[in-house]
Amino acid sequence: MSKYKRGRIVSGTVTGIEKYGIFVSLDEFYNGLIHISEISNEFVKNIYDVVNIGEVICAKVIDVNDDEFHVKLSIRDIDYRATKKKRQKIVET
């Protein structure tokens, strides 16, 4: 039984970018592909404008192939940036 289930949000590191999509490493066994059609609801001209290699992102699991340890991912309808800006504490004066 896979630890990756359809509909779950997972985080991974971008390991490669091709004209057809983004390769993501999820752990030491599983890797994933975000097809260019799953990046945005709008036309994506340059994938490098969306993510960079080495960046940690969040993605939604669409499908899992446990035999090949491959996961189909999407960032189309989620906030894919894994690192959130920290809120600054407001100092009372």
Side-chain angles (χ1 to χ4, degrees), residues 4-59:
Y4 298 106
K5 306 277 186 212
R6 284 186 193 175
R8 279 201 173 160
I9 305 297
V10 296
S11 65
T13 305
V14 176
T15 57
I17 298 174
E18 293 290 334
K19 61 183 177 182
Y20 54 85
I22 303 166
F23 291 96
V24 180
S25 174
L26 299 173
D27 60 25
E28 66 259 9
F29 299 110
Y30 282 85
N31 59 26
L33 173 68
I34 303 170
H35 189 266
I36 194 166
S37 65
E38 294 294 333
I39 294 174
S40 175
N41 289 323
E42 299 174 13
F43 180 74
V44 177
K45 184 174 182 178
N46 185 0
I47 297 176
Y48 284 97
D49 292 340
V50 180
V51 295
N52 297 308
I53 293 176
E55 183 176 356
V56 176
I57 63 171
C58 293

